[in-house]
Amino acid sequence: MIVIRKPKIWEALVPIIGMAIIIVYSMIVLKIDPHIPIVISTVLAGIMALKVGCTWFEIRDGMIESIYRAVEALVIVMIVGMLIGSWVLAGSVPAMIFYGLELISPKYFLPTGCILCAIVSVATGSAWTSGGTIGVALMGIGTGLGINPALTAGMVVSGAYFGDKISPLSDSTNVAAAAAETDLYLHVKSMMYTTVPSFIIALVLYFIVGLKYNSSTVNLENITLIKNALSSSFNISPWLLIPPIVVLITAVKKVPAIPSLLIATIVGGIFAIIFQNASFVDVLNVLQDGYVGETNIAIVDKLLTRGGVNGMLWTISLIIFALCFGGILEKARFTEVILEKLIQYVHSVGSLVATTIVTGILCDFVLTDQYLANIIPGRMFYKVYDDMGLERYYLSRTLEDGGSLWSPMFPWNGCGAYQSATLGVPTFSYFPYVFLSLINPIVSIFMAYMGIAVFRKKLEENGIEIIEVENLNELDNIRNR
């Protein structure tokens, strides 16, 4: 008879440390894709799960359950691939690049682009939609202006995840509120205290970095070359901006993500037939295989060659392998053991917030899923927040300050894999330039230690006195009176 026991801390750490070593060595030294290294890491996790008493069937169920939770996200990835392909064929992406090169000043490109991505994410509730639409166009504009693609991608991710985080329509925002069992709008209001200052700091940094890009440093010949290539290959017209507007309209009407993206894809296909004289077969092919640039201008072809279901299979396979790894860790209780160890270091509001944020980032790194990065710390820490007299929406805010904002920072995380594939920049390349994700946890922890915007429960609620405490030691003294 096989008995499942609680793993020891070293047993829980073996697959995590092993994955870190295997993936970092494979990607940095061997310079190979992360897929097979994650498969090897998953095998290691499975061996350790067997060691603590899990059966093969339990390991299998852990992997399947993990994948099941992400099925909708995987479908969205495929649809976004179709959408990008249809929008390029329709001329919508080329039109956004063309007009962007005419209208956006190089000096203000980074903060302007960041704000645009934030607006789209707030309206749609999706950083993925923002990255796959306006983000793709901004990558093209940035290339034309001679801006480092990694910097542009970091700017896109910052804006996209700011908007996603504060949007009531966002899945991750709703998941964080649900995990903490708090009101959605109180949760969004609470996030403003840390996220808005962090976003403003990020915009200032993008403005400062962007100052070195001005009319004298930009290669005007390069811009002219790109615009001529686009105008000679596509019929550029303001009407081609309608498909992106469709996405915003469906968002306002609160149409769910999948039908909204499908509608935008269909509109793109229709516009391709009307404005670019594409055939129905051309549209179907580009939905499957993506668009292949044939302008004979290398820089333009690289911008336009993207999209399609096939173009997203690299990302989808990576997400599935990573979810298998995270599912085993969850089923074997490795994650639970590590988080319990972290709780031992919580002695004040500041250390509680810091531990919650670090735990969310750790879950992003290990479990490869932003929803789990909100759910697991939320369920692990809610009692500590209650014991210290803190509001649940203070917990939900802290969950997002770490778990949500760091989800696009690792290439094996579903969000990181998606943004990297969509924007055409490796995750670790844009990592240093995602200023919002780097700044927000620091701001949140600093404010907690300084006692700024720390939301405590009312002194009396439903006739029950609630005593505020600064740390758990004080709580124990009160209990022992």
Side-chain angles (χ1 to χ4, degrees):
M1 178 179 177
I2 298 177
V3 179
I4 301 176
R5 61 175 173 81
K6 191 173 184 178
K8 299 175 182 177
I9 185 64
W10 72 266
E11 292 171 325
L13 288 173
V14 165
I16 295 173
I17 296 175
M19 182 195 74
I21 294 173
I22 291 169
I23 291 181
V24 170
Y25 178 79
S26 300
M27 295 184 66
I28 295 178
V29 179
L30 301 181
K31 299 187 183 302
I32 62 175
D33 288 340
H35 297 65
I36 303 306
I38 287 182
V39 172
I40 297 172
S41 302
T42 303
V43 173
L44 175 60
I47 292 172
M48 293 305 298
L50 291 171
K51 184 180 184 303
V52 300
C54 288
T55 66
W56 157 248
F57 298 103
E58 288 168 327
I59 294 172
R60 179 200 63 188
D61 290 345
M63 293 189 292
I64 292 175
E65 290 166 9
S66 182
I67 295 171
Y68 177 77
R69 286 193 297 265
V71 167
E72 182 179 11
L74 295 174
V75 172
I76 289 175
V77 172
M78 289 188 285
I79 295 175
V80 168
M82 295 163 56
L83 179 144
I84 293 173
S86 71
W87 280 19
V88 176
L89 182 64
S92 294
V93 170
M96 285 190 283
I97 296 174
F98 184 90
Y99 292 125
L101 289 173
E102 281 193 337
L103 301 175
I104 297 180
S105 167
K107 185 184 298 185
Y108 304 113
F109 168 72
L110 293 174
T112 302
C114 194
I115 293 172
L116 289 174
C117 288
I119 292 172
V120 173
S121 285
V122 169
T124 62
S126 171
W128 288 24
T129 300
S130 182
T133 54
I134 188 68
V136 173
L138 289 171
M139 290 301 299
I141 297 170
T143 299
L145 296 175
I147 296 174
N148 179 0
L151 175 57
T152 303
M155 171 270 290
V156 169
V157 173
S158 284
Y161 278 83
F162 169 77
D164 186 304
K165 187 182 178 190
I166 65 171
S167 173
L169 304 176
S170 167
D171 287 345
S172 61
T173 303
N174 280 271
V175 166
E181 297 180 5
T182 189
D183 179 78
L184 173 63
Y185 291 97
L186 287 175
H187 165 56
V188 172
K189 181 179 178 181
S190 176
M191 284 194 295
M192 297 296 183
Y193 287 89
T194 55
T195 310
V196 171
S198 300
F199 187 62
I200 292 172
I201 295 172
L203 289 176
V204 171
L205 290 176
Y206 286 127
F207 174 75
I208 293 172
V209 172
L211 288 177
K212 70 177 182 179
Y213 299 103
N214 51 53
S215 300
S216 62
T217 61
V218 172
N219 187 339
L220 297 179
E221 291 184 2
N222 200 37
I223 293 179
T224 302
L225 182 68
I226 292 174
K227 289 172 62 179
N228 289 340
L230 292 175
S231 60
S232 63
S233 300
F234 298 90
N235 295 316
I236 303 296
S237 165
W239 291 105
L240 298 175
L241 301 179
I242 289 179
I245 295 174
V246 169
V247 173
L248 297 178
I249 292 174
T250 54
V252 171
K253 297 294 184 180
K254 298 183 179 180
V255 178
I258 290 178
S260 171
L261 294 173
L262 283 174
I263 291 171
T265 301
I266 293 171
V267 172
I270 294 173
F271 273 48
I273 294 172
I274 295 174
F275 290 96
Q276 311 302 336
N277 298 318
S279 68
F280 182 64
V281 174
D282 291 334
V283 173
L284 296 180
N285 284 334
V286 86
L287 297 182
Q288 179 66 43
D289 300 321
Y291 185 89
V292 178
E294 297 178 344
T295 65
N296 295 321
I297 306 296
I299 190 173
V300 178
D301 289 342
K302 184 178 180 181
L303 290 175
L304 300 180
T305 302
R306 59 183 65 233
V309 174
N310 290 347
M312 291 298 184
L313 294 181
W314 187 98
T315 304
I316 292 170
S317 59
L318 176 60
I319 294 173
I320 290 175
F321 288 146
L323 288 171
C324 288
F325 176 81
I328 294 176
L329 295 190
E330 189 179 8
K331 179 64 71 171
R333 300 173 65 190
F334 292 147
T335 311
E336 176 186 335
V337 170
I338 294 172
L339 295 184
E340 287 178 352
K341 196 72 175 178
L342 287 172
I343 291 178
Q344 297 177 11
Y345 297 97
V346 174
H347 303 294
S348 65
V349 173
S351 62
L352 175 58
V353 168
T355 303
T356 305
I357 289 175
V358 169
T359 301
I361 293 173
L362 179 64
C363 288
D364 276 322
F365 180 86
V366 174
L367 299 179
T368 73
D369 181 81
Q370 72 164 329
Y371 299 138
L372 291 179
N374 285 322
I375 293 171
I376 290 179
R379 303 320 300 161
M380 289 293 295
F381 293 118
Y382 78 90
K383 192 174 185 305
V384 183
Y385 279 77
D386 287 348
D387 287 345
M388 296 185 71
L390 299 169
E391 290 283 4
R392 287 292 185 88
Y393 51 81
Y394 187 63
L395 165 61
S396 62
R397 177 183 92 186
T398 309
L399 294 176
E400 293 232 65
D401 286 341
S404 293
L405 286 183
W406 272 69
S407 58
M409 304 295 271
F410 304 111
W412 49 86
N413 187 290
C415 295
Y418 172 83
Q419 295 296 342
S420 176
T422 303
L423 302 177
V425 177
T427 309
F428 286 148
S429 294
Y430 69 61
F431 186 105
Y433 303 109
V434 188
F435 295 152
L436 178 71
S437 298
L438 297 174
I439 293 168
N440 199 97
I442 298 172
V443 170
S444 182
I445 294 171
F446 173 79
M447 291 176 67
Y449 274 107
M450 297 301 294
I452 302 171
V454 175
F455 299 111
R456 300 182 183 277
K457 294 181 180 178
K458 297 179 181 178
L459 291 179
E460 187 171 318
E461 188 174 300
N462 299 325
I464 300 174
E465 183 182 7
I466 298 175
I467 302 174
E468 296 184 10
V469 297
E470 288 296 332
N471 55 63
L472 295 182
N473 291 331
E474 184 181 344
L475 176 66
D476 291 336
N477 293 333
I478 292 172
R479 284 173 170 168
N480 293 331
R481 289 176 186 171

